[in-house]
Amino acid sequence: MTAQDSTFRHKHSQGFAELNQFWDKLDDLEATVGEFAKTSREFTDEPVQRLLRKIEAFEPSVSVIGQVKAGKSTLLNALIGETDLLPSDVNPWTSVITNVHLNSRRVPEGTRALFRFFDANEWNRLVETGGRLGEMANRAGFDAEAGEIRRQVEDMRQTTEARLGDEFHKLLDGNHAFPDIRKSVIDRYICYGDPDEIRDGSTEGVYADLTKSADLFIDLDGYPKGLCLRDTPGVNDTFMMREQITLNAISESRVCVIVLSAHQAMSTMDLALLKIICAVDAREVLIFVNRIDELADPRGESGQIVKSIRRTLERMGLGEEIEILTGSGYWANMALSGRVDQMLPGSLGGLTKFFEIEAPDFSSSDVVRDKAMEASGVQALHRAIARRVVKGPGEAMLADVCSEIDNVIRMNELVEEISEGGSGRPGRSDIASSEIAGKVSEIGQRVRRQFESTVATLRADLVDKLERAQASFVNSAVSALASHIETFGEKQTWNHEPSVLRLIMKSAYDTACEKLRRAGAGALEDVFDSVEELIEFDLDLFQDKLGVIDFPTQPLHTAPTALARTVTLDLEGGWWRRYFRNGSRSSVENRYRKLIEAETAPLIDRLVSDHFNAAVEETWSVIDDYVTDQSKLVQALCQSLSAPAKDRSAA
Amino acid sequence: MTMIENGPVPRRKPRVLLTGEFSAGKSTLINGLIGRQLLPTRVVSTAMPPVWLIREGRASFRIDLDGVRHEVASLEDLPVEDTLIYVRSVEAPILDYCDLIDTPGSSDPSIPAECWDRVIGFADTLVWCSGATQAWRQSEKSTCRGLPGDLMTDATLLITQADRMPDARSLAKVATRVERDASEFFRSIELVSCLSDGDIARVQSHLVNVCRRLPRLVGKPLPQVEAVRDADIPPVSRGNTWQVKTRLGEPIKNIFEDNDDPEATTDRESGNEVAAFEEMRASDMNNDQIRSAWLSIIEGRDLTRPDEALECLDILRGRVPPACAAGPAIFRKHAKQGELDHANTSPQHLGGVV
């Protein structure tokens, strides 16, 4: 890299300035915690270590999502200034979710690239039924699609097993790790090759079918530490499995960048995707209209595109607050790699048109470089991402860390004070710390029993509500369908939004989570009160010594994207219309009823058994940690009360 | 076949439905085909109802959902939701061979799907446009699967905007993938750049071919359109009275093409009549007979003009035995390297309104 290149890269990374400032703050906090730990009493070790681990593990993630060929991989490369990192092609071959970890602090020993494979069970299920998507299409009676998915998967199985031979079974359930990131390696795992080229001996994509996820750890000077950018396979791919991979993963990032192609910005497909993301989760969504370099008048037409998207969003009642940016990952990559002289004539023409009024001197390649970067919109995207990460997960993290460290400091001070005899009352020194620990553990057990019984009621309520929502949706959908057929026959588009059901289920889930949060708060308060009592009466110390305690922050639970089905099913297009063309009215109704029931039953099951139960576990672990901390505190108090006595007897 | 066996018996003019997702270049294509900037082409979705283009009469009216006819003075005043179809007369050579029906793009969130659905029944065959940069996605496949089989017997997939691809290799890669994935729906798959006059000419010839070989015209009648046609029976030859507005520099290709024989290509480039005669050799007519027929047809014609040439060929084909006329070319599957002339052709060249 020339010196000029590195200056350019440095400038590029400045888009992330706000995120870097955030990390400086977090680093300060971490240093403070570390300093504190050096002098604080031993009993604070555990909470302090927990806090440090939490800071270290903090890695906000940003998912890049969109239709096939919107330019997601290209844009991701442009975002981190590594123009050749992720492969991109004129055909959609991205097949795996790739997590690019920037300046991560948790790099596995000696590993820069890690590829995980499906395990044997997942793989078998996939090839037997076409995975969840195949099962769904089959149930829905979309025979053509179900057959197609099965065919696609069967083809995939045969070619993969044939290609890999004996190696195949050894790979399942394992992973491949590499000490450095090499392009030839990446291409083998995360990108389907062109089938014709693979036949001709190309190794591109040999492992792609089997690969479940890819993690690349990359250290870049000047870029934020601890940021994970995730590239996803495009939705609306004719190889339908890929879309499913993406939909399953949406819920894993708080910030989503939806990438649209300027050629066809905001189709019904994009809208369906946006609905899934917005309706299911309160998340931070950004829209980036990519590939504007290919427009005849990039500046003027981008303006029209943004206006048109706004109109559509408004009409659909979807977030006015969604920020829409325009630009070109291609321009940015050309600028970053210093290859502006190789820019396609069309893109160069677009760039010239973009700066029509300003008319800079494009005979200098440095000028072209600067201008391409400026017009690419990538730095604006940096800033937008940084703002959202900081405002969202970032600030929550800071608040969390601050309140926890305050609590630890307060507990430490209290023990210090007592041991220096600073308490107004003498306190009792005749209680063994093991006895006191037993009492705290009893408190913990009691609180747990209570919490569990509350949760059981909540769970039953949730199941009941979900089932009622399902039943009423099925009924309303079927009767709406009946009257629709009555009025319009089969011609008019049928449109009974599954998002209604999704909304009801989401609200039931959110209510349950809110109640869970309150149950958690109740349990924390209970622990606090009981421990306070213990301190006052058993240890005979002033009760208000603990002061105002901030309870530990409970995890926020949001409804999962499991609620989302596939984008194609969500559309009112081909699938639904074809559905009506077969069979008599009553059989259509019957099949429709069965379809929705079969589709929603596993949703309810997953919402309760996977997501709600996981939320309960998380909440409990917060309470449990709190109990542990309180137990340590009380024991430390107990010891400091008895310490002077020991000293005396020793003397 | 009946048409050909009985010679050029009057048969209703075939209707070609041009469709695809929005922003796939349909309007640009149609403007190219008719040689003028009739339809608005914009980067954002263009809110237009379906448009039925016919050669005859001076029609410019819309038919609303109740079947009532309203005159339309300007395209700006076209309501989308309440219009079944907008009927417009255009003097364009291609419309001597078929009607063109333009549809609003599918997957356009601002246009209800039934706008599109309602006019499908009028068409005899279909051309699906898909932009090269994002060609052939599941939503397109899904829509095509839902279309009536009759319409799809000789359907064409045009991968448009080939000029937006970086190079010939990329084009070939896209073509290979799309062919692998879409051939179950389409008899012909073609890469074109609507900015290229040569490509437009190829599409014109292809449409003429498809229309000739359609075994059955399945589209249902629309009386208001037939009324316009009945009131205006065009003369057989209009010769110089046409205000031809195309600037199609290249001679017509492909009409009789059935292979990529390099020799035939050379012949074609030196003048389409040669290509025509290549094909004639297979027929029962001897060359002298064909030649004299041809010479009488082309008398006073300007064969450098595609529309004229097409018409001449048409007349000639009407006179030759079925074995020859019914053997259409298989439309070239995809562009060969370096064959696209694109990039620097500015959009204005398209319409080339003189």
Side-chain angles (χ1 to χ4, degrees):
Chain A
M1 199 194 284
T2 67
Q4 198 186 8
D5 282 341
S6 75
T7 325
F8 199 82
R9 283 283 299 273
H10 179 73
K11 225 161 71 190
H12 173 256
S13 69
Q14 290 316 297
F16 279 129
E18 193 178 346
L19 204 48
N20 286 333
Q21 284 156 17
F22 164 80
W23 275 106
D24 290 344
K25 260 192 243 171
L26 196 59
D27 285 347
D28 284 351
L29 260 180
E30 191 180 354
T32 313
V33 175
E35 278 307 309
F36 169 77
K38 279 185 201 156
T39 55
S40 70
R41 298 198 160 229
E42 200 191 331
F43 83 98
T44 61
D45 281 0
E46 194 172 321
V48 164
Q49 286 310 318
R50 203 166 57 225
L51 200 53
L52 289 174
R53 276 198 303 274
K54 194 166 169 177
I55 296 175
E56 197 188 282
F58 182 61
E59 189 190 41
S61 73
V62 178
S63 286
V64 181
I65 309 172
Q67 285 200 49
V68 285
K69 296 316 301 160
K72 295 177 290 299
S73 303
T74 306
L75 183 63
L76 204 152
N77 287 346
L79 276 172
I80 58 170
E82 291 293 299
T83 56
D84 291 321
L85 182 68
L86 299 175
S88 89
D89 188 87
V90 289
N91 282 323
W93 300 130
T94 304
S95 59
V96 172
I97 292 186
T98 307
N99 303 302
V100 179
H101 304 270
L102 272 188
N103 303 320
S104 170
R105 302 167 71 182
R106 305 220 291 181
V107 183
E109 185 69 33
T111 301
R112 286 285 155 181
L114 179 67
F115 306 94
R116 290 195 186 84
F117 299 115
F118 286 111
D119 69 31
N121 279 338
E122 286 167 315
W123 178 256
N124 287 340
R125 178 161 178 251
L126 199 66
V127 297
E128 271 160 26
T129 63
R132 198 183 120 65
L133 189 58
E135 288 161 17
M136 189 173 68
N138 201 29
R139 259 204 307 271
F142 296 129
D143 301 333
E145 272 81 1
E148 190 176 339
I149 294 164
R150 270 196 303 273
R151 252 194 327 279
Q152 287 174 349
V153 174
E154 180 57 27
D155 280 356
M156 177 179 90
R157 185 189 70 84
Q158 279 181 1
T159 48
T160 309
E161 293 189 8
R163 198 163 55 215
L164 299 174
D166 291 342
E167 197 187 357
F168 175 78
H169 289 283
K170 281 183 231 145
L171 289 173
L172 288 177
D173 210 7
N175 60 61
H176 281 176
F178 297 86
D180 50 11
I181 296 177
R182 250 177 293 152
K183 184 153 180 52
S184 57
V185 169
I186 293 177
D187 286 356
R188 290 210 293 268
Y189 292 88
I190 67 176
C191 206
Y192 284 102
D194 193 308
D196 294 335
E197 288 178 14
I198 288 175
R199 258 193 298 282
D200 297 340
S202 157
T203 59
E204 201 173 273
V206 278
Y207 299 117
D209 294 324
L210 270 183
T211 308
K212 195 167 119 185
S213 70
D215 289 278
L216 305 177
F217 299 88
I218 183 163
D219 290 347
L220 296 171
D221 205 25
Y223 290 81
K225 52 172 156 180
L227 181 67
C228 173
L229 294 164
R230 327 174 77 218
D231 187 31
T232 62
V235 298
N236 203 8
D237 193 318
T238 51
F239 187 54
M240 289 178 266
M241 299 302 308
R242 274 177 244 178
E243 170 173 309
Q244 199 58 28
I245 293 173
T246 299
L247 289 179
N248 287 341
I250 287 176
S251 55
E252 288 165 38
S253 291
R254 270 281 298 278
V255 181
C256 288
V257 179
I258 298 188
V259 185
L260 308 179
S261 161
H263 298 303
Q264 195 202 42
M266 204 40 90
S267 71
T268 43
M269 188 55 75
D270 299 312
L271 212 52
L273 184 63
L274 201 61
K275 275 187 200 162
I276 287 173
I277 297 172
C278 292
V280 168
D281 257 309
R283 51 186 65 252
E284 307 273 353
V285 179
L286 278 169
I287 292 176
F288 188 81
V289 180
N290 198 15
R291 305 185 75 158
I292 66 163
D293 61 287
E294 295 166 45
L295 301 174
D297 172 13
R299 199 187 284 268
E301 285 173 321
S302 307
Q304 292 175 28
I305 291 171
V306 171
K307 248 188 238 157
S308 144
I309 295 175
R310 281 253 170 268
R311 263 202 308 275
T312 307
L313 292 182
E314 210 169 288
R315 214 179 36 247
M316 300 289 155
L318 278 165
E320 295 135 34
E321 72 281 3
I322 295 179
E323 188 172 352
I324 304 172
L325 301 163
T326 60
S328 154
Y330 176 80
W331 274 339
N333 283 335
M334 285 290 133
L336 283 160
S337 61
R339 291 189 305 231
V340 284
D341 51 324
Q342 292 164 34
M343 202 187 287
L344 291 169
S347 295
L348 188 60
L351 193 64
T352 317
K353 178 82 183 160
F354 195 92
F355 293 103
E356 196 175 21
I357 298 166
E358 200 181 318
D361 174 20
F362 273 164
S363 63
S364 147
S365 68
D366 284 345
V367 173
V368 180
R369 212 174 164 184
D370 282 343
K371 289 297 166 188
M373 187 42 98
E374 184 185 333
S376 75
V378 164
Q379 282 176 302
L381 183 58
H382 278 159
R383 287 191 290 274
I385 289 174
R387 196 156 55 237
R388 273 163 183 73
V389 169
V390 172
K391 288 273 171 289
E395 284 184 354
M397 179 73 190
L398 282 183
D400 220 18
V401 171
C402 286
S403 96
E404 281 187 40
I405 191 67
D406 278 355
N407 278 344
V408 177
I409 291 174
R410 226 172 271 145
M411 291 196 300
N412 191 57
E413 279 171 355
L414 181 69
V415 174
E416 294 276 336
E417 213 178 317
I418 299 297
S419 67
E420 281 158 21
S423 162
R425 289 199 224 174
R428 285 176 59 187
S429 54
D430 55 337
I431 294 186
S433 104
S434 62
E435 189 189 336
I436 249 340
K439 286 195 174 181
V440 177
S441 132
E442 267 167 41
I443 293 172
Q445 280 160 19
R446 178 173 53 77
V447 169
R448 165 141 220 175
R449 278 192 301 277
Q450 213 160 13
F451 178 74
E452 275 174 352
S453 102
T454 315
V455 163
T457 321
L458 285 183
R459 192 183 288 117
D461 269 2
L462 175 64
V463 171
D464 183 51
K465 255 196 213 150
L466 290 175
E467 279 172 353
R468 270 186 292 143
Q470 180 199 21
S472 87
F473 177 77
V474 170
N475 286 334
S476 81
V478 172
S479 73
L481 173 66
S483 76
H484 180 90
I485 296 178
E486 197 110 310
T487 326
F488 301 105
E490 296 163 6
K491 233 14 277 173
Q492 201 96 357
T493 316
W494 164 245
N495 183 10
H496 201 80
E497 276 273 318
S499 60
V500 178
L501 174 67
R502 206 180 276 158
L503 224 64
I504 301 174
M505 294 180 106
K506 171 180 153 39
S507 101
Y509 184 80
D510 287 348
T511 312
C513 286
E514 172 55 26
K515 286 186 180 158
L516 173 66
R517 200 194 57 79
R518 269 183 262 152
L524 289 171
E525 224 161 298
D526 196 354
V527 175
F528 176 77
D529 289 347
S530 310
V531 169
E532 209 178 36
E533 237 168 71
L534 210 65
I535 295 172
E536 185 178 4
F537 297 109
D538 290 39
L539 296 182
D540 197 24
L541 288 169
F542 272 141
Q543 53 145 349
D544 60 350
K545 277 292 168 199
L546 282 176
V548 188
I549 282 271
D550 288 330
F551 289 121
T553 323
Q554 294 190 52
L556 268 181
H557 306 293
T558 46
T561 34
L563 285 177
R565 308 201 294 180
T566 74
V567 176
T568 333
L569 259 193
D570 259 297
L571 290 176
E572 48 191 58
W575 290 61
W576 292 112
R577 279 213 299 284
R578 246 175 316 131
Y579 197 49
F580 304 122
R581 294 198 178 128
N582 315 318
S584 71
R585 189 185 128 177
S586 68
S587 92
V588 168
E589 281 178 30
N590 254 332
R591 283 171 60 198
Y592 189 51
R593 180 182 294 278
K594 280 207 191 103
L595 161 69
I596 318 179
E597 280 170 356
E599 267 317 294
T600 45
L603 274 188
I604 293 181
D605 192 49
R606 277 179 66 185
L607 254 188
V608 176
S609 62
D610 295 356
H611 298 280
F612 185 71
N613 288 352
V616 169
E617 281 307 309
E618 274 181 61
T619 303
W620 176 252
S621 87
V622 169
I623 301 169
D624 202 31
D625 285 345
Y626 187 63
V627 172
T628 313
D629 291 355
Q630 295 303 310
S631 167
K632 295 256 157 138
L633 168 70
V634 176
Q635 288 179 66
L637 282 174
C638 188
Q639 275 159 10
S640 62
L641 283 173
S642 57
K646 265 185 208 157
D647 288 347
R648 268 196 303 276
S649 70
Chain B
M1 290 301 156
T2 46
M3 171 198 97
I4 292 151
E5 275 159 22
N6 303 326
V9 293
R11 171 167 103 146
R12 171 168 76 60
K13 212 182 260 184
R15 304 159 187 164
V16 180
L17 186 82
L18 289 120
T19 189
E21 298 202 342
F22 76 98
S23 299
K26 284 182 304 295
S27 301
T28 310
L29 173 68
I30 290 178
N31 289 344
L33 289 175
I34 62 174
R36 54 186 290 192
Q37 295 286 73
L38 177 71
L39 304 174
T41 54
R42 265 182 290 156
V43 67
V44 292
S45 75
T46 33
M48 285 278 289
V51 178
W52 189 324
L53 298 175
I54 58 173
R55 174 69 183 81
E56 300 81 359
R58 297 182 177 282
S60 175
F61 61 85
R62 68 182 190 93
I63 301 169
D64 70 18
L65 295 184
D66 299 319
V68 180
R69 179 181 150 147
H70 308 264
E71 296 306 315
V72 173
S74 149
L75 291 189
E76 312 275 297
D77 314 330
L78 263 178
V80 176
E81 307 235 343
D82 184 41
T83 299
L84 172 67
I85 201 157
Y86 168 63
V87 182
R88 172 70 181 254
S89 302
V90 177
E91 283 197 4
I94 183 72
L95 296 179
D96 281 332
Y97 299 88
C98 56
D99 293 355
L100 297 178
I101 301 176
D102 175 39
T103 56
S106 68
S107 86
D108 182 343
S110 60
I111 306 228
E114 52 270 29
C115 268
W116 191 85
D117 242 19
R118 283 191 286 254
V119 298
I120 287 175
F122 298 116
D124 301 313
T125 190
L126 169 140
V127 173
W128 185 274
C129 297
S130 186
T133 51
Q134 286 190 290
W136 197 245
R137 288 164 291 173
Q138 183 59 30
S139 49
E140 299 176 71
K141 201 170 179 177
S142 207
T143 309
C144 283
R145 193 173 271 136
L147 291 168
D150 280 347
L151 196 60
M152 302 297 284
T153 50
D154 200 344
T156 305
L157 173 62
L158 285 187
I159 305 173
T160 56
Q161 303 162 341
D163 45 284
R164 289 183 178 162
M165 300 304 282
D167 51 43
R169 181 168 175 264
S170 306
L171 262 177
K173 279 168 94 171
V174 170
T176 312
R177 172 181 61 84
V178 175
E179 239 169 72
R180 199 166 44 227
D181 215 33
S183 51
E184 61 178 297
F185 298 104
F186 300 100
R187 180 153 169 204
S188 330
I189 297 176
E190 175 76 1
L191 270 162
V192 294
S193 160
C194 294
L195 301 184
S196 145
D197 290 345
D199 283 3
I200 290 286
R202 281 197 295 131
V203 177
Q204 286 172 329
S205 342
H206 172 67
L207 291 185
V208 171
N209 261 331
V210 168
C211 288
R212 282 215 181 91
R213 71 193 182 208
L214 278 178
R216 240 159 25 96
L217 300 183
V218 294
K220 61 185 185 198
L222 186 61
Q224 288 95 328
V225 174
E226 296 319 312
V228 177
R229 229 190 286 278
D230 291 345
D232 176 63
I233 299 159
V236 175
S237 161
R238 265 169 256 93
N240 296 330
T241 61
W242 284 354
Q243 293 296 309
V244 176
K245 296 187 177 80
T246 48
R247 273 177 51 179
L248 306 177
E250 289 190 17
I252 304 285
K253 293 184 201 170
N254 287 328
I255 288 192
F256 297 107
E257 182 192 8
D258 55 5
N259 56 41
D260 281 323
D261 178 0
E263 228 177 278
T265 312
T266 327
D267 285 345
R268 248 183 281 123
E269 278 163 6
S270 66
N272 54 323
E273 60 274 53
V274 185
F277 282 113
E278 287 281 322
E279 188 69 23
M280 296 304 149
R281 285 190 196 117
S283 79
D284 296 334
M285 263 187 175
N286 68 40
N287 283 348
D288 287 339
Q289 284 173 308
I290 296 171
R291 182 163 294 125
S292 71
W294 179 248
L295 290 175
S296 74
I297 292 165
I298 62 170
E299 204 179 335
R301 301 283 194 142
D302 178 4
L303 286 184
T304 61
R305 290 175 18 180
D307 45 281
E308 293 248 13
L310 266 176
E311 201 177 5
C312 292
L313 282 170
D314 197 29
I315 297 167
L316 180 70
R317 283 162 69 95
R319 288 179 187 178
V320 298
C324 169
I330 294 170
F331 203 38
R332 194 167 36 160
K333 279 292 190 181
H334 54 82
K336 291 185 293 280
Q337 188 158 350
E339 200 157 338
L340 285 152
D341 62 293
H342 51 72
N344 299 326
T345 322
S346 74
Q348 289 90 302
H349 289 185
L350 248 196
V353 180
V354 181

